Amino acid sequence: MHDIAPWSVAILLTAAIVIAAWRSGSLAGNGAVAALLIGLVALRVQWSWGAFLLAWFVLASLLSRIGRARKAVRTAGVVAKGDRRDARQVLANGGVFALCGAGVYSALAIGFPADTTVLTTAAAAALAAAGADTWATEVGTLVGGTPWSVREARRVPVGTSGAITASGTLGALFGGVAIAGIAVAVGMLPAANVIAVAIGGFVGALADTVVGAWWQEQRTCAACGQSTECLVHRCGATTVRVRGVAGLDNDLVNGICTVVGAAVATAIALAR
Ligand SMILES: [Zn+2]
């Protein structure tokens, strides 16, 4: 099939892009391995899947670089991880996309006579949700405004999980629409499903906030009392869990965000 990258091309192309991302500081070593696997799946489903994945990644990387210094100052000691995505982060964002891709690949490989449009829609929406969440975080942190905890109904420090700003919510909406548009533009997604993916992306990002607010593990530094996601605070003291589900960290919440995005888009696509 001419619209699928041959294995050799898929491996070389994905390796080149992943190595570039690793060298530029967007990916940690194990994150690069995970990204390589996801890229290979995408290119073996269809060229357009690879193009969509690349556009998504470039957009997310650019977004997290804009105003990095300013942001680092504002969220110092609160957010657990920096810009180098490790394997857990990569899989949290791209795992559902890759699973859907593997589903389409398998269906085509064995000649399964079903329409793969629904799986394609779910895959696009999973990344749209992860992207919309990134846009919400980055735009919200950059533009500012007062973060509001949806659970505690009060102001909280910038960078706290489960909090929203007006600018961040608009960022999520714009991100969902933009990423759905890209999926159509590269020829991955039928135009008829663009709304389903945009809504899935936006709702997934909202779910990220809600899950983050109610169930994400929150820790406090035993020494200085500051709220944090880190296991060891920057002051050197260990931290203790004050609420939330043990082990439900930011990466797992991001994974849930992509599952919700895919599920919502699938439901809308099937209902049409
Ligand atoms: Zn401390």
Side-chain angles (χ1 to χ4, degrees):
M1 277 171 274
H2 67 279
D3 56 353
I4 299 172
W7 275 111
S8 55
V9 176
I11 290 169
L12 285 175
L13 200 58
T14 312
I17 293 165
V18 165
I19 289 170
W22 172 70
R23 285 179 63 100
S24 76
S26 296
L27 291 169
N30 58 6
V33 174
L36 189 72
L37 291 175
I38 296 172
L40 276 180
V41 169
L43 277 175
R44 288 298 295 171
V45 174
Q46 208 172 62
W47 277 108
S48 63
W49 281 56
F52 173 65
L53 179 63
L54 180 61
W56 177 87
F57 181 71
V58 168
L59 214 53
S61 298
L62 283 178
L63 216 50
S64 40
R65 267 152 200 269
I66 297 171
R68 175 192 278 169
R70 174 180 164 198
K71 210 176 62 188
V73 170
R74 296 184 66 188
T75 61
V78 175
V79 179
K81 286 174 180 174
D83 293 322
R84 285 188 93 90
R85 290 164 187 236
D86 61 22
R88 243 175 141 254
Q89 278 173 297
V90 170
L91 291 174
N93 285 299
V96 171
F97 169 83
L99 280 177
C100 294
V104 174
Y105 180 82
S106 309
L108 295 177
I110 63 171
F112 192 66
D115 185 3
T116 54
T117 307
V118 167
L119 272 178
T120 301
T121 303
L127 280 198
D133 180 50
T134 306
W135 284 56
T137 305
E138 303 297 341
V139 173
T141 309
L142 269 176
V143 175
T146 308
W148 185 263
S149 167
V150 294
R151 176 175 167 274
E152 300 167 52
R154 66 177 180 87
R155 293 176 172 199
V156 286
V158 170
T160 305
S161 290
I164 56 170
T165 57
S167 57
T169 306
L170 273 178
L173 186 59
F174 186 75
V177 171
I179 293 166
I182 290 171
V184 174
V186 298
M188 174 194 177
L189 184 74
N193 284 4
V194 70
I195 304 280
V197 170
I199 293 175
F202 180 61
V203 173
L206 292 183
D208 189 288
T209 302
V210 170
V211 173
W214 264 272
W215 296 292
Q216 185 171 335
E217 182 178 37
Q218 287 296 324
R219 308 184 71 84
T220 298
C221 175
C224 62
Q226 197 183 342
S227 294
T228 178
E229 291 175 5
C230 311
L231 291 174
V232 176
H233 195 226
R234 58 177 167 157
C235 72
T238 50
T239 62
V240 291
R241 181 167 63 94
V242 285
R243 64 175 178 79
V245 178
L248 185 61
D249 64 3
N250 195 48
D251 293 343
L252 281 175
V253 173
N254 279 343
I256 292 170
C257 157
T258 67
V259 170
V260 170
V264 167
T266 300
I268 295 172
L270 288 176
R272 282 177 57 249

Tab-separated table of all heavy atoms in Angstrom, residues 221-226 233-239, ligand 1:
chain	number	residue	atom	x	y	z
A	221	CYS	N	5.725	19.327	51.673
A	221	CYS	CA	7.096	19.208	52.183
A	221	CYS	C	7.052	19.135	53.710
A	221	CYS	O	6.438	19.981	54.364
A	221	CYS	CB	7.931	20.395	51.731
A	221	CYS	SG	9.581	20.390	52.452
A	222	ALA	N	7.708	18.094	54.266
A	222	ALA	CA	7.695	17.899	55.719
A	222	ALA	C	8.454	19.010	56.447
A	222	ALA	O	8.158	19.325	57.594
A	222	ALA	CB	8.304	16.539	56.063
A	223	ALA	N	9.417	19.611	55.746
A	223	ALA	CA	10.243	20.622	56.407
A	223	ALA	C	9.632	22.023	56.321
A	223	ALA	O	9.456	22.694	57.341
A	223	ALA	CB	11.642	20.632	55.797
A	224	CYS	N	9.299	22.462	55.073
A	224	CYS	CA	8.864	23.855	54.929
A	224	CYS	C	7.357	23.991	54.674
A	224	CYS	O	6.833	25.101	54.618
A	224	CYS	CB	9.671	24.567	53.851
A	224	CYS	SG	9.511	23.871	52.216
A	225	GLY	N	6.651	22.852	54.499
A	225	GLY	CA	5.196	22.916	54.419
A	225	GLY	C	4.617	23.331	53.093
A	225	GLY	O	3.400	23.463	52.949
A	226	GLN	N	5.455	23.512	52.055
A	226	GLN	CA	4.951	23.930	50.757
A	226	GLN	C	4.291	22.754	50.021
A	226	GLN	O	4.774	21.621	50.095
A	226	GLN	CB	6.104	24.490	49.905
A	226	GLN	CG	5.617	25.308	48.717
A	226	GLN	CD	6.779	25.788	47.836
A	226	GLN	OE1	7.930	25.807	48.248
A	226	GLN	NE2	6.450	26.180	46.623
A	233	HIS	N	11.393	17.399	48.058
A	233	HIS	CA	11.263	18.822	47.772
A	233	HIS	C	12.618	19.424	47.390
A	233	HIS	O	13.660	18.867	47.696
A	233	HIS	CB	10.668	19.548	48.987
A	233	HIS	CG	10.169	20.914	48.672
A	233	HIS	ND1	10.436	21.999	49.450
A	233	HIS	CD2	9.412	21.355	47.630
A	233	HIS	CE1	9.867	23.083	48.901
A	233	HIS	NE2	9.239	22.698	47.802
A	234	ARG	N	12.591	20.578	46.734
A	234	ARG	CA	13.855	21.189	46.317
A	234	ARG	C	14.700	21.627	47.504
A	234	ARG	O	15.893	21.858	47.390
A	234	ARG	CB	13.605	22.373	45.379
A	234	ARG	CG	12.742	23.451	46.010
A	234	ARG	CD	12.570	24.638	45.081
A	234	ARG	NE	11.514	25.489	45.590
A	234	ARG	CZ	11.395	26.772	45.315
A	234	ARG	NH1	12.269	27.365	44.543
A	234	ARG	NH2	10.402	27.473	45.799
A	235	CYS	N	14.074	21.747	48.681
A	235	CYS	CA	14.848	22.096	49.873
A	235	CYS	C	15.603	20.884	50.416
A	235	CYS	O	16.406	21.008	51.340
A	235	CYS	CB	13.942	22.685	50.961
A	235	CYS	SG	12.876	21.473	51.756
A	236	GLY	N	15.330	19.697	49.839
A	236	GLY	CA	16.058	18.493	50.240
A	236	GLY	C	15.273	17.572	51.150
A	236	GLY	O	15.637	16.412	51.341
A	237	ALA	N	14.175	18.070	51.714
A	237	ALA	CA	13.381	17.253	52.626
A	237	ALA	C	12.436	16.346	51.837
A	237	ALA	O	12.026	16.684	50.727
A	237	ALA	CB	12.579	18.148	53.565
A	238	THR	N	12.107	15.191	52.414
A	238	THR	CA	11.134	14.314	51.769
A	238	THR	C	9.732	14.898	51.998
A	238	THR	O	9.506	15.675	52.921
A	238	THR	CB	11.190	12.882	52.334
A	238	THR	OG1	11.132	12.966	53.750
A	238	THR	CG2	12.459	12.169	51.912
A	239	THR	N	8.792	14.476	51.145
A	239	THR	CA	7.439	15.021	51.225
A	239	THR	C	6.473	13.935	51.655
A	239	THR	O	6.763	12.742	51.528
A	239	THR	CB	7.007	15.595	49.864
A	239	THR	OG1	7.004	14.524	48.915
A	239	THR	CG2	7.967	16.679	49.401
B	1	ZN	ZN	10.689	22.046	51.439
